[in-house]
Amino acid sequence: MLARIFLVLTCAASLCSAPAAHAERLKDLASIQGVRQNQLLGYGLVVGLDGSGDQTTQTPFTVQSVISMLQGMGVNLPAATTLQLKNVAAVMVTTSLPAFARPGQTLDITVSSMGNAKSLRGGTLLMTPLKGADGQIYAMAQGSLIVGGVGAAAPGAKAQINHLSVGRVSAGATVERAVANSLQEGSAIFLELKESDFSTASLVVDAVNKRFGPNTAAAQDGRVIKVNAPMGTDERVAFLGALESLALTPAQGSAKIILNGRTGSIVMNQAVTLEACAVAHGNLSVVINTDASVSQPNALAAGQTVVTASSQIDITKEPGKVLLLKAGASLAEVVKALNAIGATPQDLLAILQAMKASGALRAELEII
């Protein structure tokens, strides 16, 4: 029982031996406002599949897309034509346009089937425009797919390794339009902390002013920090490079415990503390055993063979124990106290919630 608890709290216990605080680069704590990725999305067709494409009777949009593509190329089909396609699949193409991307730069793309294609292995993505949230085309995608899986099927048997309906094309998209940014505008840039914290914001301001001079940085709130930067392009880039490499020790985050009710996983950080409290824990188990017995009539009798089920139900309740948990000021003491309960990870979910409600647990509970 205790071994299971130790496995669940492995991450928490490992933090006990780590240093209480360490220096981190500013680029790991904050990002520059306006320097960000933009998501791109496109709809396209994958051709050249070996009979593993969409079933056109169930995915009519695949046939409509093929007809529209052929008409754009000057091929007009009779109105009564019924296409039976097995080597074509309708797909969605996704990628991220990085900051400062320029026309001609290539991007990796992910191609995902949106119909009932069995596999995209061996297929080729036809030219697909990739659009941003504003509806503008920012890249064009095309290329041969690489699918990290394989599958085979025969009557009554099927084998598959990995996922066959998603593929990737390295350097499969070419940037056609750049996204404007405001990095060179104004006399200041703004840093945005990845997690709002007034203490960390104050530490960042002190570190920047100590490195680049007084009044260089000023905190706007617990997340945004205004930093005065040089106006020249070369000077500003060099300044931002030095700014991102600045090392400082962030303030300790708030105490938090993450509970996963589906898997029973529990992870806590080193700021968690525990007040003295008493916990009662008992288990109720119900075991049902069913045996099937066959009643066979005599050879000359007109009866029928009957199968009857005999069930036995056992209910066992372990006596509840009241345990006194001493106050713990460190993560190691908290882990030791929780292990003393002798509960399973699933039981700990309810116990931690009850301890939080009683005020004995000094931490924020987040259930995912």
Side-chain angles (χ1 to χ4, degrees), residues 190-255:
F190 293 89
L191 295 177
E192 295 181 348
L193 296 179
K194 297 180 180 179
E195 294 185 5
S196 297
D197 189 281
F198 289 100
S199 299
T200 302
S202 178
L203 292 174
V204 170
V205 170
D206 293 339
V208 173
N209 289 335
K210 182 179 180 180
R211 170 65 174 80
F212 299 101
N215 301 323
T216 302
Q220 305 293 301
D221 48 41
R223 178 180 291 269
V224 180
I225 301 169
K226 180 181 178 181
V227 180
N228 296 319
M231 294 298 297
T233 303
D234 293 341
E235 293 81 0
R236 177 161 293 193
V237 170
F239 173 79
L240 293 178
L243 182 66
E244 288 184 332
S245 301
L246 189 63
L248 70 151
T249 302
Q252 188 180 41
S254 59

Side-chain angles (χ1 to χ4, degrees), residues 4 16 33-34 84 109 139 178 190 226 233 237 294-295 331 352 354:
R4 296 182 61 185
C16 303
Q33 191 176 83
Q84 296 293 332
I109 58 175
F190 293 89
K226 180 181 178 181
T233 303
V237 170
V294 179
S295 177
L331 182 60
L352 289 174

